[in-house]
Amino acid sequence: MEFTDYEIEKLIIPQDNIFSMLTKDDLKQFLKLYYSAELSVKELLEKYQLNIKIQDVAKNLPKVQDVAVCPYDGNHLLRKMPSRTSQAGSSENSICPKCGHTIFSTARHYPPRECHCDGCLKKKEEEREKFAQMIQQNNEMLTKYEFENLDVESRLYLAVILQKLHATKLTNVGPYSRHLIDERLEDNFGTDSSNLIEKLYTSGVLVLSPLSDFDVFTDVSFDKQTAKFNLTDVAWDVWVQSDLLSDDILLQTLTNPNKGMIMGEAETTNLHRHLVLNELKRLFYFELARLHFEVRNDAERECVSDALKRWSAQFHPSEIYYLIYISVRRANDKRTSGEWGNYKFHQIQFIVNTGDNFIMSYSHRHKPMQQFGYPTNRITPLLETRIFFEQMLIVPNWFNQTIPSEDGALGLEPINSLTSQVLDKMLDQREDAALKIPGIISDAKWFSIRICGVVINDGNVDWLYADQLTAYGYAKQIETTKNQNLNWTERIIIDGSYYIQGFYSFNFLIKLIRALKDGAIAEKT
């Protein structure tokens, strides 16, 4: 900006200011020479006979009358003229000379600061009260849940939030962000329960509290009655009532649910399964992190979830944790010794395969799977898990009990009995693999139909898709004197150079070959 373009009439100079002694023409010429740096400041002061220290010139420069006026008293705002060294664009705040109302420069303050003059503080308090009334009116339009009609999941998740936030009443609970800082110090394996708040808010069990801090809301529109906010930054009201219980007793009952509550069998079973599988997933990720493995993408996350679901059909949580523990350490041994080849590109798959191999080994020897207790000295079960099993079901030894199946059954017979129920379950799991064919095709670079099965290259490694008996026959053919400590599936990987992630039915293999050909994947003979 050319500061010589300032209209002298818009410059505000107090009577006691050193520049008030200059005529308008002299002041205009002084500013021109000052900002153009044609003369030094010392030379300028001598030229115009101004008795002022050089370092005080900038702070005594005239103020510029801004176009903007104060919304509270109508006075034009004033803006300081910049110093010679900071003249590249004015970045000064505009200030009302009477009440101090300030428009902060975005060049100096980003994000822009708020004015705290008396007028702005009064206006904000009026908006705060209006916004609280808007929230209250919106809440009153919603029907409260009857305590007796709350489903099991809502009771559980509400108890988690009330306990974590140390609720002392049914209103103005939170915000969750105060607790989140302490919670994240505990561990990084799923202790953040802000997703539970989202579920409860979406279902209407929690509603916004009118006492929420107004400053955490953005884009507030009183006309549209809308605003943006983060779920963890606001306070909540519990939108539950009971004709039989006082608010204090209702709060205590919601905070500490017990077995006396009526719970539907199907809902309870599904929640049981969900919570146990979630704990096993936490333990899986925990053990991976201890030995510096990591789940890197959705495919690997799905691989972990599929393995846990598959193993849960046969084993208790304590047995599955043993599988996880020993498989991760076996993979670490292979990584250290360099014996896992291109499986370094598929680390999670290698760990899951190792677990599957342990299962087959135990099954062939008709030996019960070993058990490990929950490592509470290193990682604590989630609060929702503890409340559900210890308070609502009174089953503290849940880690050593059968995991309900997805259809609600309480588990299958041991795999080595090979009953019709087990075979049906295995068949379902095997045929479910057909759903993964599109993903296999999308990664395939070429395929080959060989005596040992269908071989597919994904750009990194060659994957073998075969039924278990065919794969075992192939392993016997490549049996060598080296690597005698390998089991037969590891022999296929190490000596046969094929990578396997499971075994498949004839029907699946036919569908896979058809999909490869339909997808125009190159075939090697």
Side-chain angles (χ1 to χ4, degrees):
M1 178 181 291
E2 290 287 343
F3 291 103
T4 55
D5 292 340
Y6 278 124
E7 296 180 20
I8 295 298
E9 290 74 13
K10 291 186 177 181
L11 297 181
I12 307 300
I13 308 174
Q15 289 295 325
D16 59 350
N17 185 281
I18 189 67
F19 292 103
S20 64
M21 63 180 294
L22 298 179
T23 66
K24 290 183 178 180
D25 289 339
D26 284 345
L27 178 59
K28 188 172 184 177
Q29 186 63 23
F30 176 91
L31 293 175
K32 179 180 180 181
L33 294 172
Y34 176 73
Y35 286 118
S36 65
E38 293 181 22
L39 296 177
S40 69
V41 176
K42 180 180 179 180
E43 290 172 333
L44 272 173
L45 296 179
E46 292 174 351
K47 176 179 175 66
Y48 290 95
Q49 300 180 354
L50 297 174
N51 185 21
I52 185 175
K53 295 180 180 179
I54 294 175
Q55 62 266 29
D56 292 338
V57 171
K59 65 181 180 182
N60 281 279
L61 288 172
K63 294 182 180 178
V64 182
Q65 181 175 286
D66 211 330
V67 176
V69 297
C70 177
Y72 306 115
D73 52 41
N75 285 293
H76 279 277
L77 304 185
L78 302 182
R79 181 162 35 90
K80 286 177 57 178
M81 295 187 74
S83 66
R84 173 188 283 185
T85 56
S86 62
Q87 63 175 308
S90 177
S91 60
E92 299 296 331
N93 302 326
S94 298
I95 304 173
C96 175
K98 182 176 181 180
C99 71
H101 174 67
T102 305
I103 298 177
F104 290 95
S105 168
T106 55
R108 290 170 62 95
H109 308 282
Y110 190 84
R113 287 175 53 186
E114 291 186 353
C115 176
H116 291 91
C117 71
D118 291 343
C120 283
L121 290 176
K122 180 180 178 181
K123 179 183 177 182
K124 186 154 189 178
E125 185 58 32
E126 291 172 349
E127 290 179 343
R128 188 190 312 274
E129 293 177 1
K130 185 178 180 180
F131 187 71
Q133 291 174 2
M134 183 180 79
I135 293 178
Q136 185 65 38
Q137 291 170 359
N138 288 339
N139 289 348
E140 290 172 353
M141 296 173 63
L142 303 173
T143 302
K144 285 191 175 183
Y145 277 86
E146 293 295 333
F147 167 69
E148 294 76 12
N149 296 333
L150 274 182
D151 58 70
V152 179
E153 184 177 75
S154 295
R155 292 184 184 184
L156 173 62
Y157 294 158
L158 184 56
V160 171
I161 298 304
L162 294 176
Q163 287 192 27
K164 284 194 171 185
L165 300 186
H166 309 290
T168 58
K169 51 187 177 179
L170 295 172
T171 57
N172 196 26
V173 178
Y176 189 78
S177 55
R178 294 176 186 169
H179 174 79
L180 200 57
I181 297 174
D182 294 333
E183 184 172 74
R184 284 175 175 163
L185 296 177
E186 295 176 14
D187 61 60
N188 297 317
F189 302 96
T191 56
D192 182 355
S193 299
S194 56
N195 63 311
L196 303 186
I197 290 182
E198 183 176 6
K199 290 182 179 180
L200 294 169
Y201 174 57
T202 302
S203 67
V205 175
L206 290 179
V207 297
L208 282 174
S209 170
L211 299 178
S212 295
D213 183 358
F214 182 59
D215 292 335
V216 303
F217 295 91
T218 59
D219 298 340
V220 176
S221 171
F222 292 106
D223 293 334
K224 298 179 181 179
Q225 293 201 337
T226 57
K228 293 181 179 179
F229 59 94
N230 190 311
L231 291 172
T232 62
D233 293 335
V234 297
W236 300 97
D237 288 352
V238 179
W239 220 237
V240 178
Q241 64 182 6
S242 173
D243 295 333
L244 303 176
L245 305 175
S246 66
D247 284 351
D248 287 342
I249 299 300
L250 178 58
L251 173 63
Q252 293 177 27
T253 307
L254 290 172
T255 305
N256 296 289
N258 55 58
K259 195 173 183 180
M261 295 180 173
I262 299 175
M263 296 187 289
E265 182 178 353
E267 185 184 9
T268 303
T269 298
N270 290 336
L271 199 51
H272 181 154
R273 176 177 175 80
H274 167 74
L275 292 171
V276 172
L277 288 178
N278 191 46
E279 290 293 345
L280 290 172
K281 182 173 70 174
R282 293 179 68 228
L283 291 174
F284 204 129
Y285 287 10
F286 171 70
E287 293 299 339
L288 290 174
R290 290 181 69 185
L291 292 180
H292 308 292
F293 291 101
E294 62 177 326
V295 177
R296 295 169 293 185
N297 51 52
D298 289 340
E300 291 186 341
R301 279 185 281 274
E302 183 181 358
C303 181
V304 171
S305 296
D306 288 348
L308 294 176
K309 290 177 183 178
R310 188 168 64 252
W311 298 342
S312 71
Q314 306 171 39
F315 302 106
H316 295 169
S318 56
E319 296 169 322
I320 296 175
Y321 178 44
Y322 168 76
L323 269 178
I324 295 170
Y325 184 92
I326 202 69
S327 298
V328 171
R329 277 147 187 79
R330 173 65 68 89
N332 185 57
D333 292 342
K334 296 292 184 182
R335 177 177 60 182
T336 302
S337 63
E339 295 180 19
W340 64 348
N342 282 340
Y343 253 126
K344 61 186 177 184
F345 301 114
H346 303 277
Q347 299 179 9
I348 303 304
Q349 186 64 62
F350 184 86
I351 293 169
V352 169
N353 286 354
T354 302
D356 288 334
N357 291 337
F358 273 114
I359 292 175
M360 286 187 288
S361 174
Y362 274 83
S363 177
H364 292 158
R365 290 181 287 166
H366 299 278
K367 183 179 178 181
M369 185 66 67
Q370 294 188 50
Q371 299 180 354
F372 275 1
Y374 200 109
T376 52
N377 60 325
R378 293 181 177 271
I379 180 172
T380 305
L382 295 178
L383 181 56
E384 49 261 47
T385 304
R386 303 198 302 271
I387 292 175
F388 183 75
F389 288 109
E390 297 173 13
Q391 294 182 220
M392 299 175 75
L393 290 188
I394 318 296
V395 183
N397 63 332
W398 59 272
F399 204 62
N400 295 309
Q401 294 200 356
T402 302
I403 304 172
S405 64
E406 290 181 284
D407 59 7
L410 291 175
L412 299 171
E413 298 178 44
I415 191 68
N416 56 21
S417 67
L418 295 179
T419 65
S420 60
Q421 287 180 319
V422 174
L423 290 172
D424 286 341
K425 186 68 176 180
M426 291 172 63
L427 181 61
D428 290 341
Q429 292 171 345
R430 185 172 286 182
E431 297 311 323
D432 281 346
L435 300 175
K436 299 181 180 180
I437 286 180
I440 297 172
I441 301 302
S442 66
D443 293 335
K445 304 303 180 186
W446 55 261
F447 77 99
S448 178
I449 301 174
R450 301 179 183 175
I451 192 67
C452 58
V454 181
V455 177
I456 299 177
N457 179 275
D458 66 359
N460 290 315
V461 299
D462 295 342
W463 294 92
L464 175 63
Y465 294 86
D467 66 90
Q468 187 168 351
L469 187 59
T470 302
Y472 180 71
Y474 172 67
K476 294 290 286 183
Q477 292 176 11
I478 61 174
E479 189 170 359
T480 63
T481 55
K482 65 176 181 177
N483 294 326
Q484 289 297 309
N485 59 329
L486 299 177
N487 63 40
W488 67 269
T489 53
E490 292 174 328
R491 190 175 303 117
I492 292 177
I493 299 168
I494 304 301
D495 294 337
S497 298
Y498 294 140
Y499 296 85
I500 56 176
Q501 57 183 349
F503 304 108
Y504 305 90
S505 68
F506 175 77
N507 184 44
F508 169 86
L509 296 173
I510 292 298
K511 290 180 180 179
L512 178 61
I513 293 171
R514 184 180 296 121
L516 287 164
K517 292 186 176 182
D518 290 345
I521 305 301
E523 181 178 2
K524 286 189 176 183
T525 56

